[in-house]
Amino acid sequence: MSSTLRDRHFWVVVAAGAGLGILGVLLAVWGNPQNSGICVSYFIENSSGALGLHDNERMQYLRPELIGFVLGSILCASLFREFRSRGGSAPLARLVSGIFLIVGSAVFIGCPIKLFLRLTAGDITSVAGLVGLVAGVWIGLQGLARGIDLGRAEDERGATGMLVPAGFVLLLVFLLARPTFILFSDRGSAAQHAPLLISLAVGLTLGALAQRSRFCITGSVRDGMLMGSRSPLFWGLLAFLAGAFVTNLAMGRFNFGLYGQPGAHLEYLWSFLGMLLVGWLSVLIGGCPFRQLIKAGEGDADAGLAVIGMLLGGGLVQSWGIAATAAGVSMSGKIAVLAGLAFVLVMSLLFRDRTA
Amino acid sequence: MLRDRFDQLMIVALVGVLIFTAVLMAGAGPREDNRDAQAAKRQLEREILHQARVAYIKRHYTPVITLRDSGALPDALLKLEELSRTLPGEAHNDLLSGDIMLRMGQFDRAISKLASAVKHNADYVDSASPLSQRPLIEAAVSESLPLIRDRLRVQPENRTLAQVLKDGYYLQSRLAGGCE
């Protein structure tokens, strides 16, 4: 343990975890919706709406945090010479996985980061999602141990890894210039946001920290299962929980209970299954929605495709009524989660190397 | 890169395309296909539609509100029933029914009606909306929920009451905020 504490990487991971937890709560204090200071799936749904991929007038805003995550990652990766264009590992499967990552998150109402933000704000309905996420990660690990492999990403010529970050630069231009074809909600939750520059600065900082640390929620759960307290990511997750919990308490945002929680429903089975889908997929494709954004910024074109899938998913969950609300999960939401589970099961069969 | 004439040609063509794009954007007046105007018009139409809806609601429901404010609550409910035939499925009907039932002390029905109104139109819990009815809904939830919980303790088998409680929790959740 003492050698771990002397390790600089350990402290970068802890800083990334604590930063994500603290700033995740503070962004809600500064204007983002309650318990959604950082929620990648919600930000993706908002951004899809702003790009015209769905017409829910209450869910349209190009979230600066999302842009910041990718650009912070590419800046940091370039600075430390870690940017590397790579790809070619089951690209279409990753694109579809990106869609289902958002489906699972939308049915739970939140990505894995928001799950823990909800939990540290006292929302105990999120426990069903937590159990689902842990179960999903565990099943994913069992699959990996038995030979499921999407294939190795190869270095790619032509700087294809630049395409997704370049797309996010364009989104930044859209956010600042506000052309008429980009839609911005003037009511509903998308109209609730922290000041643009603060959101962008937080996104850039967390993007850079996450790139350096490789911190990700499902990765932390995975490493916690595999290595226990020897894993720096596990300590990063604890720092996240401690940071978010203390900040929630300090800001008077801790409200322990089952009922009347913001952005939560009481359909525990579907919360469980939604997060099970997210955890399982995240292990197979190498990271939760947040990590896909960071990897896309590092030049990983496969993660970039997952991000594009997430944006498509953001449009679909709103257009097809898949996203759950406080009233519960719609029939299309339930079917979409089951379709996602069918997809990941088929993927597990098709991508299994049985020769080992 | 730039080793042979082909590369150089590609670079020159790229610079040309970029310059052409910049010139086109800088000199662009109203676009030929008028898409900017169309997009702006769409935004405006959305706003007009929203304002028209607010005005429409006010116009149609003024008699109900007058009756409610004068204390003629049963008459106000009758008027609402009459309006529900001409405006079926209108969320404002549910909202006003909930308001009136709350004043009449019919907490269960009030909560169900208010939940139905918010499910159909989330503007009622949006403090930025001109249709916002947060104080009413907050009052309904804080007054009714403890009573409903107490009654459900005595009649745990009452499914209707359990559904009302669920509606109450839904309203509480929407009032708390979140990302819907």
Side-chain angles (χ1 to χ4, degrees):
Chain A
M1 186 68 202
S2 60
S3 65
T4 306
L5 292 176
R6 282 196 297 273
D7 181 6
R8 199 162 66 94
H9 179 68
F10 172 85
W11 291 108
V12 176
V13 174
V14 168
L20 206 59
I22 294 167
L23 291 167
V25 177
L26 287 179
L27 278 170
V29 175
W30 293 328
N32 280 6
Q34 184 84 354
N35 288 1
S36 302
I38 295 175
C39 174
V40 172
S41 61
Y42 169 64
F43 290 173
I44 288 272
E45 287 171 49
N46 276 195
S47 300
S48 295
L51 295 171
L53 297 179
H54 69 71
D55 64 353
N56 183 346
E57 294 171 12
R58 307 171 62 84
M59 292 285 277
Q60 295 166 334
Y61 179 55
L62 269 181
R63 288 279 170 185
E65 297 89 344
L66 211 58
I67 296 168
F69 293 153
V70 176
L71 300 188
S73 169
I74 189 174
L75 288 174
C76 194
S78 305
L79 191 69
F80 288 91
R81 298 177 183 279
E82 287 184 335
F83 183 88
R84 192 165 57 87
S85 278
R86 56 194 190 272
S89 159
L92 271 178
R94 288 176 190 273
L95 181 112
V96 179
S97 298
I99 296 175
F100 282 119
L101 279 179
I102 298 302
V103 166
S105 299
V107 165
F108 168 70
I109 315 188
C111 72
I113 293 176
K114 182 172 167 182
L115 187 161
F116 285 102
L117 288 176
R118 279 173 57 177
L119 198 66
T120 54
D123 173 0
I124 47 176
T125 64
S126 59
V127 171
L130 175 64
V131 176
L133 185 79
V134 171
V137 170
W138 185 80
I139 296 171
L141 280 174
Q142 298 306 309
L144 292 184
R146 284 161 181 76
I148 296 169
D149 183 11
L150 299 193
R152 182 180 288 274
E154 303 288 344
D155 283 358
E156 287 194 337
R157 295 167 59 212
T160 49
M162 288 294 293
L163 285 174
V164 169
F168 275 83
V169 170
L170 191 64
L171 292 185
L172 180 61
V173 172
F174 288 163
L175 177 66
L176 299 174
R178 299 203 167 209
T180 47
F181 53 84
I182 297 294
L183 306 168
F184 292 94
S185 296
D186 51 11
R187 60 204 173 90
S189 65
Q192 295 173 27
H193 48 80
L196 191 152
L197 289 179
I198 291 179
S199 301
L200 192 60
V202 168
L204 286 166
T205 308
L206 292 177
L209 271 173
Q211 195 281 324
R212 288 307 294 153
S213 64
R214 275 72 172 161
F215 181 75
C216 131
I217 298 288
T218 49
S220 306
V221 174
R222 178 200 63 204
D223 283 12
M225 281 181 187
L226 291 174
M227 295 190 279
S229 61
R230 283 175 295 133
S231 158
L233 286 183
F234 174 74
W235 289 99
L237 182 61
L238 290 185
F240 174 100
L241 290 170
F245 178 66
V246 170
T247 314
N248 269 316
L249 274 182
M251 294 291 153
R253 292 192 166 230
F254 185 80
N255 176 29
F256 186 80
L258 199 58
Y259 303 112
Q261 296 288 352
H265 58 72
L266 302 172
E267 298 198 25
Y268 307 119
L269 172 67
W270 295 100
S271 288
F272 170 83
L273 290 176
M275 273 294 127
L276 180 126
L277 176 61
V278 172
W280 192 348
L281 276 173
S282 296
V283 169
L284 294 188
I285 67 169
C288 64
F290 177 65
R291 181 77 187 130
Q292 297 302 320
L293 289 163
I294 302 303
K295 282 165 72 175
E298 292 171 345
D300 186 334
D302 293 327
L305 270 174
V307 169
I308 292 170
M310 281 155 53
L311 281 166
L312 288 176
L316 290 180
V317 296
Q318 287 296 323
S319 298
W320 292 0
I322 290 168
T325 66
V329 184
S330 65
M331 181 53 76
S332 51
K334 292 171 184 174
I335 290 170
V337 165
L338 294 177
L341 290 172
F343 167 76
V344 73
L345 285 164
V346 169
M347 203 162 88
S348 300
L349 289 170
L350 295 181
F351 285 95
R352 188 163 175 217
D353 178 3
R354 294 177 178 82
T355 56
Chain B
M1 219 180 271
L2 288 177
R3 280 189 190 156
D4 61 14
R5 190 168 291 276
F6 183 79
D7 281 347
Q8 289 161 1
L9 207 64
M10 291 296 112
I11 295 285
V12 169
L14 175 66
V15 171
V17 168
L18 292 176
I19 290 172
F20 185 46
T21 309
V23 169
L24 205 65
M25 285 171 73
R31 282 165 52 169
E32 272 180 30
D33 59 3
N34 220 16
R35 288 198 61 183
D36 281 351
Q38 280 174 16
K41 197 174 150 197
R42 208 167 48 232
Q43 288 267 38
L44 185 68
E45 274 173 359
R46 211 158 84 170
E47 183 56 33
I48 290 172
L49 199 69
H50 187 64
Q51 285 184 14
R53 186 177 148 70
V54 174
Y56 180 84
I57 284 170
K58 275 188 181 158
R59 194 173 74 238
H60 276 83
Y61 289 96
T62 300
V64 180
I65 292 166
T66 311
L67 285 168
R68 179 198 67 186
D69 292 347
S70 66
L73 299 179
D75 292 340
L77 277 180
L78 280 174
K79 184 72 187 162
L80 269 179
E81 205 177 309
E82 190 185 305
L83 277 171
S84 70
R85 278 182 235 120
T86 49
L87 302 167
E90 170 52 54
H92 212 68
N93 213 310
D94 286 335
L95 182 98
L96 283 174
S97 297
D99 180 3
I100 293 163
M101 284 165 182
L102 189 68
R103 289 165 195 246
M104 294 168 86
Q106 297 181 18
F107 296 115
D108 308 1
R109 293 178 67 194
I111 287 291
S112 297
K113 286 287 182 187
L114 290 174
S116 170
V118 175
K119 279 175 192 169
H120 286 103
N121 188 352
D123 282 359
Y124 295 129
V125 286
D126 187 349
S127 37
S129 166
L131 288 176
S132 176
Q133 294 289 336
R134 279 186 78 91
L136 164 71
I137 297 165
E138 278 165 353
V141 168
S142 61
E143 275 180 49
S144 309
L145 274 189
L147 298 172
I148 295 166
R149 271 195 218 107
D150 289 346
R151 282 173 51 209
L152 202 57
R153 254 179 236 122
V154 182
Q155 321 164 41
E157 303 299 313
N158 190 333
R159 287 185 169 209
T160 315
L161 209 54
Q163 180 57 45
V164 173
L165 188 65
K166 207 174 155 192
D167 286 339
Y169 289 142
Y170 167 73
L171 287 174
Q172 212 177 20
S173 180
R174 292 310 308 263
L175 287 168
C179 55
E180 286 177 38

